[in-house]
Amino acid sequence: MTILITGGSGKTSSVLAKRLHAANLPILVASRAGKAPEPFKAVVFNWLDPATFENPFIADSSIDRVYIVVAMFGPETAHVNAFVDFARTKGVKRFVLLSASQIEAGKLPLGEIHQHLIDSGVEYAVLRPTWFQQNFGASLLTSIRDHSQTFSASQSGRLAFVSTEDIAEAAFQALTAEPSLNKDLLVFGPELLSHDEVAALLSAAVGRKITHVKHTVEEMKNIYTSYGLPEEYAAVLSDMEGKIADQVEEELFNVSVDKKFVGKRTVGEYIQKNREQWIN
Ligand SMILES: NC(=O)c1ccc[n+]([C@@H]2O[C@H](COP(=O)([O-])OP(=O)(O)OC[C@H]3O[C@@H](n4cnc5c(N)ncnc54)[C@H](OP(=O)(O)O)[C@@H]3O)[C@@H](O)[C@H]2O)c1
């Protein structure tokens, strides 16, 4: 048994690789550059280039499980279902897909991959995390460090920001569970917080005032298009943020225990551990 981890150097894949390795489970990392940190083996793999789909199976003929990470939007998603079908012919029995809290089966490209796993009759799990805690150190890093601002269209709505380490733990469990889960799971952090409350935690950690700028959904859409996201996807993304203001994430957090994985790591812990990056 070998587990193929796509999304090579990504936020959850890199943690998952360490978690599986620590449990003595064989893994292979798929990344565009074909590189992974020691001691992991890696192969060149690109969702946009189906000629690379065979590389993992040439490198290791015992791959039987795959962790699927693909950008929420973008041309890559169109190739994933073909890879799933191909991987099945190579002996893969189980797929674990990283999707998102507000994306149900059949909805948007990621939801179409989710639906394909259901329709294929394979062993599967779909992880639907809410917003990552790590976004404050990635997409929001420059704004916080250089302008002392976070921003969103979530107004005062609350959500259970989740650590990528907890998502990796959910992926570990979904990949190794016997029997296979064969369902989707919402993935949350342990507590509901608004962006204002996170800004207050950041302020206390860095010793200066960090402000949460409350944008309208339309303003957020314009910000995302200014980053180069096509208009259609910018609209979907800003709309998802707007739904936080409408308590949608709070309602999702309150689903029954069998429908969710609730991680242990708090936003406060994440901020304390990583505070240096926001100090200018
Ligand atoms: N961020 C959030 O708050 C959030 C919330 C819910 C759901 N999600 C979902 O989580 C998923 C990943 O999140 P992320 O955007 O933060 O990315 P990420 O996991 O940090 O990175 C994705 C990785 O995919 C690999 N990759 C990129 N293009 C590729 C290609 N063409 N072929 C093969 N591999 C490729 C890259 O690794 P290499 O450079 O090694 O190839 C990259 O590091 C997305 O589907 C997103 O919708 C995110």
Side-chain angles (χ1 to χ4, degrees):
M1 162 184 156
T2 298
I3 298 174
L4 178 68
I5 303 177
T6 67
S9 58
K11 297 185 195 77
T12 62
S13 303
S14 52
V15 187
L16 177 63
K18 288 184 201 147
R19 177 73 176 88
L20 289 163
H21 182 70
N24 284 323
L25 292 166
I27 61 161
L28 181 63
V29 175
S31 103
R32 286 167 299 177
K35 291 192 178 122
E38 286 293 326
F40 307 122
K41 266 184 22 184
V43 283
V44 172
F45 183 89
N46 192 328
W47 291 117
L48 294 174
D49 181 6
T52 64
F53 287 1
E54 194 158 16
N55 291 349
F57 306 101
I58 294 169
D60 188 329
S61 59
S62 53
I63 296 168
D64 62 353
R65 296 172 192 209
V66 180
Y67 179 56
I68 300 176
V69 176
V70 63
M72 187 180 290
F73 307 117
E76 294 87 355
T77 50
H79 300 277
V80 179
N81 288 347
F83 173 75
V84 168
D85 297 342
F86 175 73
R88 290 180 65 199
T89 70
K90 296 289 181 182
V92 175
K93 301 276 182 289
R94 183 179 302 187
F95 299 86
V96 173
L97 169 68
L98 181 64
S99 183
S101 56
Q102 291 186 23
I103 302 182
E104 287 168 9
K107 206 176 132 189
L108 298 170
L110 277 179
E112 284 169 16
I113 301 166
H114 180 168
Q115 188 63 50
H116 187 66
L117 294 179
I118 296 172
D119 295 344
S120 302
V122 290
E123 293 183 356
Y124 81 98
V126 176
L127 304 177
R128 294 171 52 199
T130 191
W131 276 257
F132 299 175
Q133 295 172 6
Q134 279 71 10
N135 293 344
F136 292 98
S139 51
L140 289 165
L141 173 64
T142 316
S143 175
I144 297 168
R145 189 190 55 212
D146 300 344
H147 307 291
S148 298
Q149 287 183 346
T150 66
F151 54 89
S152 79
S154 65
Q155 306 303 323
S156 300
R158 298 191 302 163
L159 67 154
F161 294 98
V162 63
S163 163
T164 49
E165 286 164 299
D166 282 327
I167 300 169
E169 180 58 32
F172 175 88
Q173 293 184 17
L175 284 160
T176 56
E178 293 301 345
S180 169
L181 301 180
N182 295 344
K183 65 177 181 180
D184 60 290
L185 271 181
L186 291 154
V187 183
F188 299 114
E191 59 189 349
L192 288 165
L193 288 176
S194 68
H195 268 270
D196 290 339
E197 289 169 315
V198 176
L201 290 171
L202 283 163
S203 304
V206 300
R208 66 179 199 279
K209 174 87 177 147
I210 307 292
T211 306
H212 168 224
V213 178
K214 296 180 166 109
H215 287 299
T216 64
V217 169
E218 186 63 23
E219 284 165 352
M220 266 325 292
K221 189 187 95 177
N222 293 337
I223 290 171
Y224 288 132
T225 48
S226 77
Y227 292 164
L229 203 62
E231 180 111 3
E232 179 196 353
Y233 292 145
V236 174
L237 207 53
S238 53
D239 191 50
M240 284 181 182
E241 280 190 26
K243 290 199 171 120
I244 301 170
D246 299 336
Q247 276 90 51
V248 165
E249 286 291 322
E250 207 163 323
E251 283 162 23
L252 288 173
F253 183 68
N254 289 323
V255 296
S256 55
V257 288
D258 57 315
K259 294 189 170 128
K260 64 185 174 187
F261 175 98
V262 180
K264 295 187 177 67
R265 293 163 178 89
T266 66
V267 175
E269 285 161 7
Y270 163 71
I271 289 175
Q272 279 309 326
K273 227 186 264 176
N274 296 280
R275 59 184 286 280
E276 294 297 328
Q277 64 185 325
W278 300 294
I279 294 173
N280 51 19

